[in-house]
């Protein structure tokens, strides 16, 4: 499997190439940087535009064998002298910096077209800043300063990162949910994209949880995906757009939430996902485990179902197929209630007693199947939060 390079690595490589061309006065078509992982990135340089006081160029994002929406995008860096007449290049809300030729050299990193801007607290960068995370900023500064030392340049420089298609690409990312507007984020902690890595998604879950905690909430609604959010909105009229999508990472999300100090969590999801949690399975991806029918059959037997019903459930391909069998037998409510009870047991066990977890189960075409005993209080909490009448 071939690894790729993050938007942060691309931005750092483009910035290094632009700085070299500005200070050396010569064109540079290839550039190399060392990523925080220790792997050297050999990048091709595109879109070169040279001037006496500014140079811009781009590096194409390559996601390797784990491509994302930014793969193929050109990540631009424009490097210019940070001095008199250059203040207009700074984004609105950024404090203007004087030319520091007689003081300590400074490399100022800013975001331009297609790079998002933070509008909510709790993220890697403060409100108002460009969504260029800490590690990419450090990478950019390190590479540009390396060029400055090689060229014996002590002047301060402005580096502006832009992604011409960034605003459109951002609509296919988590940025709108995180309150990052106007473009994509420049990300990466290791500098490389590992094939089949789930770290980026886990980082996003962590960011959403941290952001909600920073807003003063000690409770959080969580759902594996959009279907859970749609169910709550269509069934109860509650817009959970500010809730956290945890994908298959139920256990990791509980760990993060409890670690951040949340006191309560509402887990809403399709029975096909959450019934696995009723068996103590905390990663619901099919490649990790799949005991949906076995668990439903076991719960049915606990509710005095006969062998014929249990065998019928075991022969079903999906939980949606098993629901009519349970309904016809008169066991649906009892089996789903037992599933909800076991989900709460295992999730609270995972939280180590630090957090109370409630759950709501549903199925397409059947609506709500079960809710935990104290789930009703969530409708009051969510209603108050969204200004709805109770």
């Amino acid at each position: 499997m071939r690894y790729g390079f993050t938007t942060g690595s691309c931005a750092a490589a483009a910035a290094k190439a632009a700085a070299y061309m500005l200070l050396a006065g010569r064109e540079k078509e290839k550039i190399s940087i060392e990523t925080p992982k220790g792997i050297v990135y050999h990048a091709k340089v595109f879109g070169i535009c040279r001037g006496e006081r500014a140079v811009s160029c781009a590096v194409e994002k390559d996601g390797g064998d784990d491509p994302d929406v930014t793969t193929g995008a050109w990540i631009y860096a424009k490097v210019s002298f940070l001095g008199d007449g250059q203040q207009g290049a700074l984004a609105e809300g950024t404090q203007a910096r004087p030319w520091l030729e007689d003081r300590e050299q400074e490399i100022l990193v800013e975001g331009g077209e297609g790079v998002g801007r933070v509008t909510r607290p709790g993220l890697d960068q403060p409100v108002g800043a460009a969504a260029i995370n800490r590690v990419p900023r450090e990478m950019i500064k390190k590479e540009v300063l390396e060029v400055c030392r090689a060229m014996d340049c002590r002047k301060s420089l402005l580096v502006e990162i832009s992604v011409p298609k960034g605003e459109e690409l951002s609509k296919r990312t988590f940025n709108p949910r995180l309150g990052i507007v106007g473009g994509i984020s420049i990300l990466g902690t290791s500098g490389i994209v590992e094939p089949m890595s789930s770290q980026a998604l886990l980082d996003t879950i962590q960011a959403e949880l941290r952001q909600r905690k920073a807003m003063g909430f000690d409770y959080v609604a969580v759902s594996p995906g959009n279907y859970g959010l749609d169910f709550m909105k269509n069934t109860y009229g509650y817009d959970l757009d500010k809730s956290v999508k945890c994908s298959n990472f139920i256990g990791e999300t509980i760990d993060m939430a409890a670690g951040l100090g949340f006191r309560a969590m509402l887990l809403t999801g399709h029975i096909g996902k959450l019934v696995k949690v009723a068996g103590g399975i905390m990663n619901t991806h099919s490649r990790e485990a799949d005991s949906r029918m076995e668990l439903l059959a076991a719960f049915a037997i606990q509710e005095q179902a006969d062998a014929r019903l249990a065998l019928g459930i075991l022969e079903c391909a999906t939980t949606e197929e098993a629901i009519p069998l349970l309904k016809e037998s008169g066991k649906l409510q009892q089996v789903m209630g037992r599933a909800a009870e076991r989900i709460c047991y295992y999730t609270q066990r995972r939280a180590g007693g630090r957090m109370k977890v409630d759950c709501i189960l549903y199925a397409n075409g059947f609506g709500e199947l079960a809710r935990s005993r104290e789930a009703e209080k969530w409708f009051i909490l969510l209603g108050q939060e969204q200004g709805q009448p109770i």
Side-chain angles (χ1 to χ4, degrees):
M1 300 289 283
R2 185 175 65 89
Y3 54 76
F5 294 91
T6 63
T7 50
S9 288
C10 295
K16 184 176 184 178
Y20 175 87
M21 288 185 277
L22 176 65
L23 301 180
R26 297 191 297 272
E27 198 160 289
K28 191 78 170 173
E29 295 182 351
K30 294 181 180 179
I31 199 74
S32 296
I33 68 166
E34 184 176 354
T35 64
K37 190 82 170 179
I39 296 172
V40 177
Y41 179 25
H42 302 286
K44 293 182 179 179
V45 180
F46 302 96
I48 298 170
C49 182
R50 294 168 56 196
E52 288 186 9
R53 295 194 58 82
V55 172
S56 66
C57 63
V59 167
E60 184 177 353
K61 167 69 187 299
D62 178 7
D65 287 334
D66 191 27
D68 63 13
V69 298
T70 61
T71 293
W74 281 18
I75 313 298
Y76 275 86
K78 178 182 178 181
V79 178
S80 58
F81 293 110
L82 184 60
D84 296 334
Q86 294 295 306
Q87 310 302 345
L90 300 178
E92 184 179 352
T94 302
Q95 184 179 1
R97 309 293 182 94
W99 184 299
L100 301 178
E101 190 170 3
D102 297 327
R103 296 160 58 188
E104 183 180 353
Q105 184 179 20
E106 183 178 48
I107 307 299
L108 179 64
V109 179
E110 254 300 339
E113 176 192 3
V115 172
R117 196 154 290 273
V118 178
T119 65
R120 298 178 190 167
L123 298 180
D124 182 273
Q125 294 296 302
V127 172
I132 304 173
N133 278 10
R134 178 184 58 82
V135 173
R137 286 178 183 272
E138 292 174 352
M139 291 172 66
I140 292 166
K141 292 177 181 180
K142 171 182 174 292
E143 298 299 337
V144 171
L145 283 171
E146 182 180 304
V147 173
C148 289
R149 285 192 294 269
M151 298 294 172
D152 195 25
C153 172
R154 298 183 182 180
K155 294 179 179 178
S156 293
L157 300 175
L158 169 65
V159 181
E160 184 181 65
I161 306 301
S162 61
V163 186
K165 297 181 180 179
E167 186 166 8
E168 185 62 31
L169 291 174
S170 71
K171 297 174 183 176
R172 297 158 60 192
T173 72
F174 284 96
N175 276 13
R177 290 174 53 80
L178 293 171
I180 298 173
V181 301
I184 65 168
S185 299
I186 305 300
L187 304 170
T189 54
S190 67
I192 66 168
V193 178
E194 299 184 50
M196 305 305 293
S197 170
S198 11
Q199 191 58 50
L201 182 52
L202 288 170
D203 288 346
T204 299
I205 296 170
Q206 176 81 21
E208 291 197 27
L209 288 170
R210 189 170 59 240
Q211 183 179 78
R212 183 167 177 82
K213 197 70 172 65
M215 293 171 67
F217 295 102
D218 64 356
Y219 62 90
V220 60
V222 171
S223 179
N226 287 325
Y227 288 134
L229 306 186
D230 292 343
F231 165 75
M232 288 295 288
K233 187 172 184 178
N234 296 334
T235 305
Y236 302 110
Y238 294 107
D239 187 354
L240 298 188
D241 186 58
K242 293 182 180 179
S243 69
V244 175
K245 287 194 288 187
C246 64
S247 186
N248 296 299
F249 303 106
I250 307 292
E252 288 90 341
T253 302
I254 291 170
D255 295 342
M256 294 175 193
L260 286 168
F262 284 95
R263 298 179 61 186
M265 172 187 289
L266 174 65
L267 180 61
T268 302
H270 190 279
I271 182 63
K273 281 277 188 192
L274 296 194
V275 72
K276 297 180 185 181
V277 182
I281 298 167
M282 291 292 157
N283 186 320
T284 56
H285 197 288
S286 57
R287 69 169 175 258
E288 297 292 331
D290 187 2
S291 57
R292 295 167 297 163
M293 300 307 127
E294 290 84 354
L295 285 163
L296 286 179
F299 295 152
I301 290 171
Q302 286 182 302
E303 295 298 334
Q304 310 304 314
D306 57 28
R308 183 177 178 181
L309 176 58
L311 287 171
I313 293 171
L314 289 171
E315 290 173 358
C316 291
T318 66
T319 52
E320 296 268 357
E321 187 181 345
I323 289 173
L325 299 182
L326 288 165
K327 192 172 184 179
E328 289 168 11
S329 71
K331 300 290 184 183
L332 181 61
Q333 183 176 354
Q334 298 95 310
V335 169
M336 292 299 126
R338 188 173 289 272
E341 179 183 313
R342 298 308 289 172
I343 289 167
C344 291
Y345 169 77
Y346 280 112
T347 52
Q348 289 176 175
R349 180 179 176 183
R350 178 70 178 240
R354 294 174 292 173
M355 184 173 65
K356 176 75 168 60
V357 183
D358 288 293
C359 73
I360 297 176
L361 305 176
Y362 72 93
N364 302 327
F366 297 93
E368 183 183 301
L369 298 174
R371 66 174 75 165
S372 59
R373 293 177 183 176
E374 297 185 32
E376 188 71 30
K377 70 180 183 182
W378 282 90
F379 301 128
I380 299 173
L381 278 174
L382 297 172
Q384 289 174 338
E385 181 180 335
Q386 296 172 35
Q388 297 180 8
I390 305 302

